[in-house]
Amino acid sequence: MNDISLSGVLNVGPYKGYYGRAEYDPEAKVFHGEVTDTKDVITFVAPDPTGLVNAFMESVDDYLAFCKERGEEPEKPFSGKFLVRITPTLHRQLSVLAGHRGMSLNQLAVEALAMAISSGIHSEYPLIPLAPLSD
């Protein structure tokens, strides 16, 4: 008897702005995946990586068609908003700095985050394609 097992995780996307993540189930010998970064549950299944890409795209298309049929807006994976918790002291310092630069705190944060991306911090994560920051 052979006790060698196969396991792993595959990331898929982007497709129409959506990304997915699938894990291999060695007992069923299929990949089970889910679209990430949405509250809506969008799943897909395939026996191999090539089929996984197709199943992912079909699931996204089915989800978008379902939303359209119901007259609902599909949930977007990223709204462009996120909450950051910082100390009150840092909050005050950043607010003062933004004021001195003649910009809002939001503008200062966006500038700092964009600089972090452009400085190469993302190089640890080469599988994540980064879109231009022109939104």
Side-chain angles (χ1 to χ4, degrees):
M1 179 155 167
N2 190 341
D3 290 336
I4 296 174
S5 66
L6 176 65
S7 65
V9 175
L10 291 176
N11 295 313
V12 292
Y15 178 67
K16 297 185 178 180
Y18 293 88
Y19 290 83
R21 182 176 182 89
E23 293 186 27
Y24 186 70
D25 179 347
E27 289 181 22
K29 296 184 179 168
V30 294
F31 288 92
H32 292 279
E34 186 170 344
V35 174
T36 58
D37 304 310
T38 65
K39 292 177 190 160
D40 292 333
V41 178
I42 310 166
T43 61
F44 50 98
V45 177
D48 56 60
T50 301
L52 191 67
V53 170
N54 293 330
F56 167 70
M57 293 186 331
E58 287 173 10
S59 288
V60 169
D61 287 340
D62 289 347
Y63 169 69
L64 296 173
F66 177 74
C67 289
K68 185 176 182 178
E69 180 181 300
R70 292 180 55 125
E72 298 174 356
E73 280 294 314
E75 186 180 347
K76 294 183 179 181
F78 297 99
S79 67
K81 296 183 266 182
F82 69 99
L83 177 66
V84 178
R85 297 188 192 282
I86 58 176
T87 66
T89 301
L90 180 57
H91 191 170
R92 180 178 39 78
Q93 291 171 332
L94 290 169
S95 183
V96 169
L97 178 60
H100 284 269
R101 290 190 177 177
M103 56 182 22
S104 69
L105 183 55
N106 189 72
Q107 289 169 320
L108 179 70
V110 168
E111 183 179 283
L113 293 167
M115 285 182 5
I117 292 296
S118 67
S119 72
I121 288 175
H122 68 279
S123 64
E124 295 177 41
Y125 306 101
L127 299 178
I128 302 173
L130 297 174
L133 297 173
S134 61
D135 295 311

